[in-house]
Amino acid sequence: DRMSVEPVREEWDGLIAELENDTNRGHFQRNEERGEWDLDMKRIPEPLRKEFVDFLVSSLTSEFSGCVLYAEMKKRGTNPDLCALFKYMSRDESRHAGFLNDCLKDFGVQVDMGFLAKAKKYTFFSPKFILFATYLSEKIGYARYIKIFRHLEAHPERRFHPIFKWFREWCNDEFRHGEALALLMRADPKLLAGRNLFWIRFFQVAVFATMFVRDHTRVEFHRALGIDPEVYGMDVFRLTVEISKQVFPVLLDVDNPAFLDGLRSLQRLAVRIEGTRSRGVVGWLHARVLQVAVVVTFLRLLFLPTLSNSLPERTRLAPVW
C-alpha cells in the first residue's frame, strides 16, 4: 500500500486499461473452431496420460495459487492502483484454473478449488520477494506456453490434445501480468539495487532450476510433443532472460557452459534422491547426503558470473513471438 506508481503512471494507466478491456473475456471456453473436444481419452496411452494429467494439475495449482495470492492482496490493500491491478490479475488466473479444471474432467479428475482455497496455509514473505518470484513465474510461464504453441503450430501432428490451441491468448495474460509487476518494481528503484541484487539472482536460479528438474520427470509428455526438455528449457531461459532486461539489473548468463552443467547435476541428483525412497534408514541417510550435494550445486549456480544490464527508458515490452 505504500508503493506509488506515479513514476510509471503513463505506462501503468495503459496497462490497466488493457486489463479492464479484458480481450480474453470469452476465450477460455470449448468451441468447434479450436478443435474437437469429444475425444476418447483412452487413446492417450499410459504413461503419457499420467504425465499429461500431472501437467494439467500442476498448471491448475499454479494458476489457482496466483488467483488466491492476488485476491488476498486486493482484499487486504487500500491503494486503489494496486487493488485494481490485483482484481484483474486474480480474475485472469481464476479463469485459467477453471478452464484447466474443465479439461481435467475428461480424464475423470476433478480438483476442488474451493477446498484448496480453504486449506491453503499462508506464509508471510517480504513484498519484494513476492514481486521477484511472481514476476519470474509470470514471465517464464509466458515463455513456456509460447514456445510450445509455436512448436505445435509448426508441427500440428504433435498436438495430441486441443488445449494447446488456447496457449497464445493464455500467453498474453501471463505477459501482461509480468509487465504489471515489472512496473511496480521500476516504480521503486530501491527494489533493484544494493543487497536486492543478490535476491534477484537467487530467484532466477531457483525458478530456472526448479523448471529444469521438473520437466525432466515428464519424459513421455515431451516425447509426444517432439520436444527435447533440455533444449526446450534452455530456449525458455534465454527468452525469459531477454524479457527480464526490462526490469532486472543483473541477469543469469544461461549460455555459460557451467550453468547447464549445474542444472544437469541437479537433475541427476533429483533422480538419485527419488531412488532412495522405500529403502528404510539407509535410504533416508543416503537422501540426506544427496540433499547436501543439491545445496552445494545450487550455491555454485548462484555464484556463477552474471550479466549486468542497463534498464531501458520504458518498461513495457511487446510480446516476443
Side-chain angles (χ1 to χ4, degrees):
D1 281 339
R2 294 193 297 270
M3 297 186 72
S4 171
V5 300
E6 291 309 318
V8 292
R9 172 59 69 182
E10 181 183 352
E11 292 179 278
W12 180 270
D13 287 345
L15 177 61
I16 293 298
E18 289 179 25
L19 290 167
E20 184 177 14
N21 190 37
D22 194 11
T23 55
N24 285 339
R25 184 182 299 107
H27 174 66
F28 292 98
Q29 301 174 12
R30 299 187 184 208
N31 59 55
E32 294 181 0
E33 180 184 353
R34 290 280 176 171
E36 180 57 61
W37 284 88
D38 186 19
L39 297 173
D40 178 7
M41 294 303 163
K42 292 181 180 178
R43 55 180 195 147
I44 299 180
E46 295 284 358
L48 172 58
R49 175 189 174 97
K50 179 181 178 182
E51 291 185 7
F52 183 53
V53 168
D54 176 71
F55 168 79
L56 294 176
V57 170
S58 64
S59 298
L60 185 156
T61 303
S62 177
E63 298 285 350
F64 190 67
S65 295
C67 169
V68 172
L69 170 65
Y70 299 140
E72 192 69 18
M73 293 170 79
K74 174 189 177 295
K75 183 174 74 174
R76 294 171 180 260
T78 58
N79 183 317
D81 288 314
L82 272 61
C83 286
L85 170 68
F86 295 132
K87 177 182 73 173
Y88 295 133
M89 292 172 70
S90 179
R91 173 203 66 197
D92 293 344
E93 302 287 1
S94 175
R95 187 179 288 159
H96 300 167
F99 188 61
L100 285 162
N101 211 12
D102 190 42
C103 294
L104 281 165
K105 292 177 184 177
D106 295 332
F107 294 93
V109 177
Q110 184 69 57
V111 178
D112 186 347
M113 291 188 288
F115 173 78
L116 285 179
K118 293 176 183 178
K120 197 170 185 63
K121 295 182 179 179
Y122 294 95
T123 304
F124 175 80
F125 288 100
S126 171
K128 65 184 179 183
F129 294 161
I130 295 174
L131 287 173
F132 298 155
T134 53
Y135 171 80
L136 282 166
S137 175
E138 297 286 1
K139 287 304 189 183
I140 203 170
Y142 166 82
R144 285 169 60 80
Y145 286 137
I146 201 57
K147 287 293 182 181
I148 291 176
F149 180 84
R150 287 307 188 201
H151 171 75
L152 294 178
E153 196 175 44
H155 303 281
E157 73 281 1
R158 293 286 189 173
R159 191 184 294 118
F160 61 83
H161 191 279
I163 194 175
F164 297 114
K165 294 183 180 181
W166 270 256
F167 274 19
R168 175 168 179 162
E169 288 80 358
W170 207 316
C171 291
N172 289 337
D173 284 344
E174 305 288 346
F175 196 86
R176 276 189 289 266
H177 295 178
E179 297 293 280
L181 297 167
L183 286 170
L184 286 177
M185 288 185 277
R186 288 289 297 268
D188 186 358
K190 296 191 299 297
L191 292 172
L192 305 173
R195 68 181 65 181
N196 288 332
L197 296 180
F198 169 81
W199 292 113
I200 290 171
R201 180 194 299 198
F202 172 86
F203 280 103
Q204 288 180 76
V205 174
V207 170
F208 288 8
T210 299
M211 173 189 148
F212 189 90
V213 171
R214 181 188 59 202
D215 279 359
H216 277 76
T217 66
R218 296 176 180 147
V219 177
E220 295 301 324
F221 175 72
H222 290 98
R223 181 177 294 137
L225 292 175
I227 290 175
D228 182 319
E230 182 175 292
V231 174
Y232 166 68
M234 296 305 294
D235 285 345
V236 166
F237 300 153
R238 291 186 187 99
L239 178 53
T240 305
V241 167
E242 183 64 28
I243 294 170
S244 299
K245 289 178 180 178
Q246 70 179 156
V247 67
F248 286 156
V250 60
L251 300 164
L252 299 186
D253 183 4
V254 296
D255 287 317
N256 181 343
F259 179 74
L260 179 56
D261 286 345
L263 294 180
R264 287 170 173 166
S265 295
L266 287 176
Q267 191 269 326
R268 289 193 294 267
L269 287 166
V271 171
R272 293 176 64 188
I273 290 172
E274 184 65 25
T276 64
R277 297 185 185 277
S278 71
R279 289 177 53 192
V281 175
V282 173
W284 184 88
L285 291 172
H286 189 200
R288 300 293 83 76
V289 173
L290 293 173
Q291 286 167 356
V292 171
V294 167
V295 172
V296 171
T297 304
F298 182 88
L299 290 174
R300 287 175 179 165
L301 282 169
L302 185 59
F303 290 104
L304 286 175
T306 54
L307 304 175
S308 297
N309 175 50
S310 298
L311 301 185
E313 183 177 344
R314 292 185 64 82
T315 304
R316 296 206 61 194
L317 303 171
V320 182
W321 295 112

